[in-house]
Amino acid sequence: MRLLGFVTTTAAWSAPLLRAEIVPTTPISTPDTGQNIRIEDAVKEAWQKRPELKQAALNLENAGTDVKATKNELLPSVNIFGEYIASGLGGVQTSTTTTGTVVFPGGAGQDLSRVFAGNYSTFEGGINLTLPIRNRAAQADNAQALLNEREQKTQYRQEQNAIFVGVRNALIAMQEDRASLAAAEEARKLAVQTFQDEQEKYRLGASTSYNVVLRSRDVTTAEGVELRDRINLLEDELKFNQAMGRTLEVNQISVADALKH
């Protein structure tokens, strides 16, 4: 008895829900994104905005820096150096020419004065020349850097081509779905007109209720097809903005503002 009562209560609550009408509050509009843009302009903009290509460009630049650095290791190097030493003497010094001795007054003041006077200075200078002969390690580093640079160039071109293909496919999909939506709108209008004509014929006794139901079903089907095409077009717009690197811009999202918070 309890089970039957539970089933009856559930059915009583389900019946109004089955008859409830779902009314969407947000209208589905037809986007005009990419409608009047050339493929060349779209690809150029995408190359400037897509972060993947910017990252590939930075990797290529770093690879070029490594090539220059390893190439410098294979070149001769010249080092020129010079040195000047000033001394301040104090105390007793034995003369080199006589047996006598020379006494220099001591003290910090006397020593500093002799330093700046330069009476007992020393000059040194020289040149060091390094010639890397058969430097296998440097040659290997340079060869590896060159291979890495070529790989980064290839990846950069691949990113460019991938962006080009993505933008082109997104534009083609939007054009096709616009044409499909236009055809669906005309089909829906024709179905509505046919349904109204069938209702009029039924009112005049020239048709049957079965035919009216069939025409009503055709209207529902046409409206469903049109709605699906509108949704497909909105999805294509999202994909196009993603391919163009406009996702943050379109949704008014600023990374700089997010970092501040």
Side-chain angles (χ1 to χ4, degrees):
M1 295 298 294
R2 292 181 181 179
L3 180 60
L4 292 176
F6 176 77
V7 173
T8 303
T9 303
T10 304
W13 278 97
S14 301
L17 294 178
L18 293 177
R19 295 192 299 268
E21 181 181 2
I22 299 176
V23 180
T25 58
T26 302
I28 301 178
S29 59
T30 303
D32 57 354
T33 304
Q35 189 169 3
N36 298 319
I37 186 172
R38 299 189 307 164
I39 180 65
E40 295 83 2
D41 297 334
V43 171
K44 186 177 180 179
E45 179 182 348
W47 282 348
Q48 294 176 351
K49 293 183 177 180
R50 287 286 292 270
E52 302 93 330
L53 193 61
K54 293 180 180 179
Q55 181 179 359
L58 291 176
N59 293 337
L60 180 58
E61 183 179 355
N62 292 335
T65 302
D66 291 339
V67 170
K68 293 179 181 179
T70 55
K71 186 177 180 180
N72 289 336
E73 296 178 359
L74 300 174
L75 301 176
S77 61
V78 178
N79 295 324
I80 302 176
F81 66 92
E83 185 178 10
Y84 171 76
I85 302 175
S87 304
L89 300 180
V92 180
Q93 179 182 10
T94 303
S95 176
T96 57
T97 57
T98 64
T99 57
T101 58
V102 179
V103 179
F104 291 92
Q110 295 290 339
D111 292 342
L112 289 176
S113 65
R114 295 188 187 99
V115 169
F116 289 109
N119 296 330
Y120 306 98
S121 59
T122 302
F123 296 91
E124 292 183 5
I127 298 177
N128 290 332
L129 175 61
T130 302
L131 297 176
I133 300 175
R134 301 175 66 86
N135 191 341
R136 300 299 187 186
Q139 292 175 355
D141 292 341
N142 183 249
Q144 184 176 2
L146 288 172
L147 291 176
N148 183 45
E149 184 183 31
R150 293 176 184 175
E151 181 180 358
Q152 296 301 327
K153 286 182 179 179
T154 302
Q155 292 182 359
Y156 183 81
R157 296 301 181 188
Q158 289 177 348
E159 287 290 346
Q160 282 187 320
N161 294 335
I163 292 174
F164 171 79
V165 173
V167 172
R168 183 192 61 184
N169 292 343
L171 281 175
I172 292 175
M174 292 188 72
Q175 293 173 357
E176 292 178 348
D177 284 342
R178 278 198 183 90
S180 178
L181 177 59
E185 289 176 345
E186 294 299 325
R188 188 257 306 163
K189 293 178 182 178
L190 178 60
V192 171
Q193 184 63 42
T194 303
F195 172 66
Q196 292 175 350
D197 294 342
E198 197 69 32
Q199 282 183 318
E200 182 66 19
K201 290 169 61 177
Y202 177 76
R203 189 181 66 82
L204 297 176
S207 182
T208 63
S209 59
Y210 177 74
N211 290 334
V212 174
V213 172
L214 289 180
R215 301 293 82 80
S216 176
R217 185 195 61 181
D218 294 340
V219 171
T220 303
T221 302
E223 290 176 345
V225 172
E226 181 185 4
L227 179 60
R228 182 67 259 179
D229 288 341
R230 289 187 182 277
I231 295 175
N232 290 338
L233 189 56
L234 290 175
E235 292 177 351
D236 290 337
E237 183 187 25
L238 295 176
K239 294 178 181 179
F240 176 75
N241 289 330
Q242 182 179 5
M244 293 290 293
R246 295 177 176 176
T247 302
L248 297 179
E249 177 184 349
V250 170
N251 294 280
Q252 298 180 353
I253 299 175
S254 176
V255 178
D257 294 339
L259 293 176
K260 291 180 181 179
H261 300 287

